[in-house]
Amino acid sequence: MLLRGSVHRDDRGCFYEAWREGNSAAAGIPAFVQDNVSLSHRNVIRGIHVQYPRPQGKLIHVVSGQVWDVCVDLRRGSPTFRQWLGIMLEEADGRQIYLPPGVAHGFSVLSNTAAVSYKCTDYYEPAGEVTIRWNDPSLAIEWSVPEPMLSVKDRNAPLLAEIAVERLPVYGEQR
């Protein structure tokens, strides 16, 4: 779900409201319990990550810089299972994307540096994290980064086909 806040600009810069509980509730977004920020350099790719059995919904926006943000539907039984969507997110453009629980997330940094903020609907649990290899040929994600910088975990992650189906979230499953 793409969201856009109003951005107010003047000679000093800009101001925008990144989140308001009432607006999220009206859009059907559950309450958030954790707020994360990642700082990254140009050509970094972070992801593709999802959690199960406690999947997180995420509201993502870029505080500074520019990223190619990618979501992959990994929910078993979803009509869009294994499909991905990429969207450019930039500082102060007011655009945010909400990923429902079970939709995996990753991004590549296109600016010199980027700060990405994401609010989560559940707490991070290391034992529940599932990582899919960033360049899985079955997904064919276009990252827009010629020589990516990756964590060891992301570089060595399994392909989607190598992950037991029981490790993937279920579409429509309620906790």
Side-chain angles (χ1 to χ4, degrees):
M1 171 186 315
L2 183 62
L3 306 169
R4 182 183 294 270
S6 60
V7 178
H8 306 279
R9 298 180 191 281
D10 64 21
D11 296 352
R12 301 167 296 162
C14 72
F15 169 87
Y16 71 98
E17 185 176 81
W19 177 76
R20 180 184 285 230
E21 183 180 20
N23 293 348
S24 290
I29 298 172
F32 297 109
V33 299
Q34 184 173 325
D35 202 6
N36 304 313
V37 175
S38 70
L39 304 172
S40 306
H41 302 289
R42 181 185 299 278
N43 296 330
V44 164
I45 291 179
R46 292 186 184 263
I48 306 166
H49 306 141
V50 69
Q51 284 197 178
Y52 190 73
R54 295 183 59 154
Q56 298 172 306
K58 295 180 180 177
L59 180 64
I60 299 154
H61 79 275
V62 172
V63 177
S64 68
Q66 180 185 56
V67 304
W68 176 245
D69 201 86
V70 172
C71 59
V72 182
D73 191 349
L74 294 181
R75 300 169 297 172
R76 292 179 273 157
S78 169
T80 56
F81 180 67
R82 297 174 51 101
Q83 293 180 21
W84 66 273
L85 171 72
I87 184 168
M88 190 73 65
L89 294 176
E90 302 177 84
E91 65 185 73
D93 69 359
R95 292 174 13 143
Q96 302 177 46
I97 189 166
Y98 176 71
L99 308 181
V103 174
H105 179 243
F107 62 87
S108 59
V109 179
L110 305 178
S111 52
N112 286 335
T113 60
V116 177
S117 170
Y118 43 107
K119 294 185 173 312
C120 301
T121 61
D122 207 340
Y123 298 104
Y124 172 71
E125 285 190 3
E129 185 171 48
V130 178
T131 302
I132 309 295
R133 190 171 317 150
W134 68 280
N135 62 349
D136 185 325
S138 74
L139 299 175
I141 295 172
E142 300 167 14
W143 288 102
S144 303
V145 173
E147 295 183 37
M149 293 175 53
L150 301 154
S151 70
V152 171
K153 176 179 74 174
D154 290 346
R155 184 180 314 110
N156 297 327
L159 300 173
L160 181 55
E162 298 170 334
I163 295 175
V165 70
E166 307 79 49
R167 293 277 295 136
L168 298 178
V170 178
Y171 180 69
E173 183 175 72
Q174 299 297 315
R175 286 194 347 99

